[in-house]
Amino acid sequence: MSKAITTREADYSQWYNDLVIRGGLADYSAVRGCMVIKPYGYALWENMRDQLDKMFKATGHVNAYFPLFIPKSFLSKEAAHVEGFAKECAVVTHYRLKNDPDGNGIVVDPEAKLEEELIVRPTSETIIWNTYRDWIQSYRDLPLLINQWANVVRWEMRTRLFLRTAEFLWQEGHTAHASKEEAIEETKKMLDVYAEFVENYMAVPVIKGVKTPNERFAGAEDTYCIEALMQDGKALQAGTSHFLGQNFAKAFDVKFLNKDNSQEYVWATSWGVSTRLIGALIMAHSDDQGLVLPPRIAPLQVVIVPIYKGEDSKPVIDEKANAIVHALRAKGVSVKYDHHDNARPGWKFAEYELQGVPVRIALGLRDIEQNVAEIARRDTREKQTVSLEGIDAFVEKLLEDIQENMYHKAKGFRDSNIREANSWNEFVQLLDEKAGFVSAHWDGSGETEEKIKELTKATIRCIPLHNPQEAGNCILSGKPSSQRVLFARAY
RNA sequence: CGGGAUGUAGCGUAGCCCGGUUAUCGCGCCUGGUUUGGGACCAGGAGGUCGCAAGUUCGAAUCUUGCCAUCCCGACCA
């Protein structure tokens, strides 16, 4: 393993790839566009998943599981939906293999063609709404608040580790409601859950907003999103929550009997976040030394590295270190004592920095004589000497500080990279020279939006919620506009 | 899916143009020893379908064709 990772300045994309691979989060696989999530990366995902799952349960949702395969006819029932996904679906056409009669290994058995082809789910609205039809009879069956943790497949032409792979892990919530108002409330509630999770646990600040019709989820009436800013100034959609209106209820004939004994179509929402969040996490916080992980979701929060001086020092240091391990575990801190003799301290320091472990404690005889330890925090790379008395409380507090500091640092960066543009020239200049979000007036038309995208590669990331109303003129067309929207180049 | 680049041990590489002993070097790995406060040192050792498959040839890492994968740039998307 070579020592240095690519710096952000030298090659941002390569830096990102280096962190994912060398940080031990994931590997490329033998399958085009698909990645292997390694134990360290999966532990990170498990922490994210577990926390989100708690938050979903706390808001009244339950988990269920629907099939990986979707009959082709289902997908075509909602016109906008099929159009949105048709170009990236994997299709199962046969159900059996056989030995090649020419002796060249194994071939698809042409006799085993499926009557109706199956689509590997790119998302599950269709199979779920087809099922909900049977589950919903009356308003008493509503709301139906279901989430599923699953893998989905979208046949992407160009893939990037975590950010865009052909198969990825996610959760998709699918809810059914008796009224439009309640469904919209659910859509916004789950957006808030996502924002709370991403900000408080991942320490990544987000902007809540609504997508323009062009950027809307295929089949939705409204798509709400949280948008985050990466260190290279590109935006990344971190989560989406959709108000689906009655589109899927109508496509799958899902009706309920209301209190007045009349049939109504059900109102729907769906919402999801994926392993893409891991990409956001990496690009929001990490530095040229490696990953920087927020304590609240880091697979390992604290590592203790002993500094041995001769065989005699081992039992002394081990004893003190183990005492710290026990004290920290008692406080619910995840900690590892790396006493392995196959690497020297300097090597371990670099390795744990690469892996983004928030806190490192170095402990040697010299420290023990003075009843102290050296504590290094990953986010600022600062070191300090701390008394062994009450070191557990100190670390507990430090982890909170790191979490806070990471959020504020990311927020400071994000806030200083939202700029207003009041002319086309200024708009183009800001995008090219500063990147980040550009807040500008837009005339509200899809044509203008498309044109701006063509000219600058920037898209409207969102119309922020609670957006201040302000009269102005569209940056491109000059037509009147009532509010600014956020533009950025995006992942 | 279009353009460009790459693929030799776990990682990084030399060799390829101009075919010819046992495929080079460094890191890592194993054994033993000395070490340990920012990626240690000495000695010995193991590890290879040269991305895969055909072809040309007496002979292919090297030449030809096809395929696979990865990276970068476009079009598409979470």
Side-chain angles (χ1 to χ4, degrees), chain A residues 66-77:
Chain A
F66 294 84
L68 171 67
F69 301 115
I70 299 175
K72 192 176 75 179
S73 59
F74 282 20
L75 210 70
S76 55
K77 286 194 179 180

Side-chain angles (χ1 to χ4, degrees), chain A residues 109-126:
Chain A
D109 186 346
E111 302 290 307
K113 195 160 170 21
L114 289 171
E115 281 286 305
E116 180 175 6
E117 288 150 349
L118 296 171
I119 312 301
V120 181
R121 62 179 167 220
T123 178
S124 303
E125 274 78 6
T126 58

Side-chain angles (χ1 to χ4, degrees), chain A residues 121-174:
Chain A
R121 62 179 167 220
T123 178
S124 303
E125 274 78 6
T126 58
I127 184 79
I128 286 178
W129 279 87
N130 186 68
T131 310
Y132 281 2
R133 181 178 56 239
D134 298 335
W135 292 359
I136 297 169
Q137 314 284 328
S138 119
Y139 72 93
R140 294 180 194 277
D141 297 322
L142 298 172
L144 194 53
L145 306 174
I146 292 180
N147 174 66
Q148 89 164 342
W149 290 96
N151 58 337
V152 288
V153 168
R154 296 181 188 175
W155 214 259
E156 297 291 347
M157 292 303 158
R158 190 175 165 191
T159 57
R160 298 202 59 189
L161 295 165
F162 287 116
L163 297 174
R164 189 176 296 108
T165 46
E167 180 192 13
F168 57 94
L169 304 184
W170 79 344
Q171 58 67 219
E172 46 182 325
H174 296 273

Side-chain angles (χ1 to χ4, degrees), chain A residues 41-52:
Chain A
Y42 201 79
L44 188 55
W45 175 240
E46 284 177 313
N47 286 347
M48 294 163 70
R49 186 195 62 190
D50 290 351
Q51 181 54 38
L52 281 165

